[in-house]
Amino acid sequence: MARELVDGGEAVLEAFRNLDIDYIIASPGSDWPSVWEALARQKINESDGPRYIDTWHETLAVTMAMGYTRVTGKLQAVLLHAGVGLLQGSLGIHGAYQGEVPMLICSGESITNGEDPDFDPGGQWYRGLNVVGGADRWVEPFTKWSSHVSTHFNLYESITRAGEMAQRLPKGPTFLDIPMEVMLPAWTPPARIGKIPAPPKIHSEASAIDEVAGLLAGASAPVIITESAGRDVEAFHQMVRLAELLSIPVVESGPGYANFPKDHPMYQGTNVNRFKDTSDVILLVGSKTPWYPPSAGPATGTVISIDEYPLKEHLTYQALHANIYLEGDIGVTVKLLADAVESNGGLNAEAISARKTQCEAEHDKATESNRAAVEAARSKGPIDPVWLCAAISEVMPDDATYVEETITHRGAILRHIAWNTPQRYFHPNGGLGQGLGTALGVKLAKPDSPVVALMGDGSFLYNPVVQSFGVSAAENLPILIIVFNNGKYAAMQNLHLQFYPEGIAAKTGIHHGVDIPGPNYADLVTPFGGHSERVEDPNELKPALERALAAVNGGTTAVVNVIVSI
């Protein structure tokens, strides 16, 4: 078939431009020649537009886009190959859905199956790549919206609409199935075309905010519980402001972001149970699952939920026990709330001062307890995870950004690695296998910050490791990967023993699904020119981390395989 100069590939690219997309991140497939042609034209003409990144795995493409968006807040585009590529990327898409990360995902197909005498897509589509009913059926349960484009006449508008929908509340991934036959015809830009406006920030009415401000001002024992407020830099700073105004303790429940400075005296760690039954006003700020089990909510107290979209459709069950909802942008809402507290006056300075003194004392007590735990662990062999976390915190600079994908070591990481500014910590949503891609996406968004991926050995093996190293080298995205290697799936062993404490496995040591006879993980990066370290001696830990950090700062990805005791 003779090709027109400007076809549907240009429509796709122009839609991405007008959605202000920075990157097209793809695991390449034979369904995208029209887009590749448009990208080649963009380069030759030196036109503005998104940059194309090839990855070697679909989950990696999706999670890189997700990591970038979690830092920048900006929608990105992901191109996958047919239905099979969509299946490979579904882990990351599901994570984006749970994490409310906007993303535009497209995959292709052929709808003529070789019967068009003027177009031969290849027999692979007829023999098995096409999906009965369309690939959009497959992802419908874990995307915000999914559909297909049936004609080139509405290709551009379908893409811009899907991009806009992804950014509206609740934010999340949207999907379009785009056949090659839709992209091949000549495309004439619509008469009305231009930049797509960003979605507005919404907030609750002033009377509701004033009501909550009054409750907080009159509270004797308020508390803030948060999981994801830190996804918005403004929310991070406004929460600090509100906590300081009223001396409100802040607790994190399963955090996915850096939500509050750990060195702040109002920061009280991650033990929600310490506060939920003794607080008279409980402010849930970006907190979807503050207590477990869900029915074990506060015995008394007024629960106020501040969230863009507090009732999560992806959860099969949820019990916030909320009495009041302030729905809308978290940063804007907390700012208006702090403004109202300041302007309304009538604050009990004595009570606020007493709370401040108590929080400072509790914060100092926790800090000293953590310090004592580090000293006790410092020289233990094999390496204690507590010492590993403390050594990481001591070696890494203040601007280091952590992407953490562990299970049994997460508590130690949250207690013993410091981050005190926004966007310094990210935890993937959904299943394991997303950490490396997220870290590379974060590095793409923060090229000047050292990005440290904290991985359990089991978690590490769920990731597309080889592909991640390839993209890291090809795109000049050096990251530091630290493997907490206990040689087993400890979470599986722990749960088995919890259910059968006097069982045969407990008595004999016969465990299934536990041992990981893995390689020296650090050696895996060597073929890609990376830096590798394997550490067993606690005295060698900090020097190894320092060498690895120097390698990353020099432009090389480094893997430190740390043999830990538990």
Side-chain angles (χ1 to χ4, degrees), residues 267-519:
Y267 182 72
Q268 301 293 304
T270 59
N271 185 2
V272 171
N273 290 335
R274 189 175 132 222
F275 292 90
K276 70 179 179 68
D277 291 331
T278 58
S279 299
D280 55 351
V281 175
I282 300 167
L283 201 61
L284 306 179
V285 184
S287 185
K288 67 180 183 296
T289 51
W291 17 77
Y292 183 82
S295 59
T300 59
T302 300
V303 178
I304 302 153
S305 173
I306 297 178
D307 207 323
E308 292 179 339
Y309 200 82
L311 302 178
K312 309 301 183 184
E313 295 173 357
H314 70 268
L315 293 175
T316 59
Y317 182 58
Q318 184 185 23
L320 293 175
H321 303 284
N323 302 104
I324 300 172
Y325 290 98
L326 295 182
E327 296 190 29
D329 183 86
I330 294 176
V332 171
T333 301
V334 178
K335 180 184 182 302
L336 292 173
L337 188 56
D339 289 346
V341 169
E342 280 188 322
S343 62
N344 291 350
L347 302 180
N348 187 335
E350 184 177 348
I352 293 172
S353 177
R355 279 200 302 270
K356 181 180 180 181
T357 299
Q358 182 180 1
C359 284
E360 288 173 342
E362 292 294 335
H363 183 271
D364 291 345
K365 180 180 176 182
T367 301
E368 183 55 39
S369 175
N370 289 340
R371 187 179 296 115
V374 170
E375 289 306 313
R378 185 180 295 270
S379 59
K380 286 182 179 179
I383 295 170
D384 191 308
V386 169
W387 169 231
L388 172 55
C389 293
I392 292 169
S393 195
E394 291 176 16
V395 170
M396 297 304 140
D398 291 341
D399 66 341
T401 301
Y402 300 95
V403 176
E404 175 264 320
E405 190 173 38
T406 68
I407 299 178
T408 56
H409 300 119
R410 192 180 185 205
I413 289 169
L414 293 174
R415 285 189 298 273
H416 297 290
I417 298 182
W419 48 81
N420 297 308
T421 53
Q423 296 192 333
R424 296 299 175 196
Y425 170 79
F426 299 92
H427 180 78
N429 295 281
L432 298 173
Q434 304 179 67
L436 292 182
T438 301
L440 289 168
V442 169
K443 184 65 178 179
L444 187 64
K446 303 176 75 172
D448 298 327
S449 171
V451 174
V452 184
L454 308 172
M455 317 283 294
D457 53 337
S459 302
F460 182 76
L461 291 172
Y462 284 117
N463 281 262
V465 175
V466 170
Q467 296 90 334
S468 297
F469 291 155
V471 172
S472 172
E475 296 295 331
N476 190 27
L477 298 172
I479 61 174
L480 172 54
I481 301 163
I482 302 173
V483 180
F484 288 59
N485 184 359
N486 60 11
K488 61 184 178 181
Y489 295 106
M492 301 182 191
Q493 182 180 21
N494 294 341
L495 197 63
H496 184 160
L497 295 176
Q498 177 184 325
F499 291 157
Y500 300 94
E502 303 297 328
I504 294 173
K507 294 175 181 177
T508 64
I510 299 174
H511 291 281
H512 293 82
V514 172
D515 293 335
I516 305 176

